[in-house]
Amino acid sequence: MGEGVEWALHSCVNLAWAGPGRAVPAARLAAWHDLPAAYLNKQLQALARAGIVTSTPGPRGGFRLARPLAEITLMDVVAAVEGTEEAFRCTEIRQQGPGGAPAADDAPACAIAHAMNRAELAWRQALAAEDLDGIRRRAELQAPDAASRLRAWLAAGAGGR
């Protein structure tokens, strides 16, 4: 996975901490973690296309969560940023080269493809089982003042935006 997934996940939690319905510009979200704003904006646009956040244009605009964190899974964010294509693609190399043989219609599926598909399914199920509200709660246990620090920082900059 690319770093955009991590950035998108943190941005969702930060939007929740910013306060209900508060729009936060991509540049402010990026500045909080010293990230490149243009690249973070691409991740936020992907989240908007997936219905995870909404985007409001204009000087008082920005991004806000489209639904509660409890309704957003890690898999939702990964799929929004990385896409839904399978990570492993079997090209049937077992049928190529001197060791290969043409596949018979009743040949079993490639053992490697089968194992990789099982692993990917388990990974996707684990991501789908984790919602961002659980992540937020664990983050708050690790850094109890994180939400209040973010809100104060947002209020102090850009006219409170």
Side-chain angles (χ1 to χ4, degrees):
M1 275 184 276
E3 59 192 2
V5 171
E6 177 187 9
W7 298 4
L9 290 164
H10 278 281
S11 292
C12 287
V13 172
N14 290 339
L15 287 171
W17 284 342
R22 180 182 187 153
V24 182
R28 290 296 283 165
L29 285 169
W32 180 245
H33 290 296
D34 199 22
L35 303 172
Y39 187 65
L40 179 61
N41 189 58
K42 289 180 183 180
Q43 311 317 312
L44 294 168
Q45 291 298 330
L47 294 178
R49 285 189 297 278
I52 296 170
V53 301
T54 60
S55 174
T56 305
R60 311 244 334 118
F63 293 89
R64 61 176 54 90
L65 290 172
R67 55 188 197 255
L69 288 181
E71 296 175 16
I72 304 168
T73 68
L74 293 176
M75 190 67 231
D76 293 334
V77 175
V78 170
V81 173
E82 294 284 316
T84 57
E85 202 168 296
E86 293 178 349
F88 180 81
R89 290 169 230 31
C90 181
T91 60
E92 287 292 343
I93 67 167
R94 67 186 177 148
Q95 298 171 18
Q96 300 172 19
D105 288 341
D106 62 345
C110 175
I112 291 170
H114 181 69
M116 294 299 285
N117 290 339
R118 271 195 346 263
E120 182 164 348
L121 178 60
W123 173 76
R124 288 177 182 266
Q125 288 172 332
L127 291 174
E130 284 275 345
D131 68 61
L132 290 184
D133 198 48
I135 300 295
R136 178 199 54 79
R137 285 193 308 271
R138 287 194 299 277
E140 289 172 354
L141 287 174
Q142 293 173 342
D145 67 337
S148 59
R149 286 188 318 111
L150 174 70
R151 282 190 297 275
W153 183 81
L154 287 171
R161 288 188 298 121

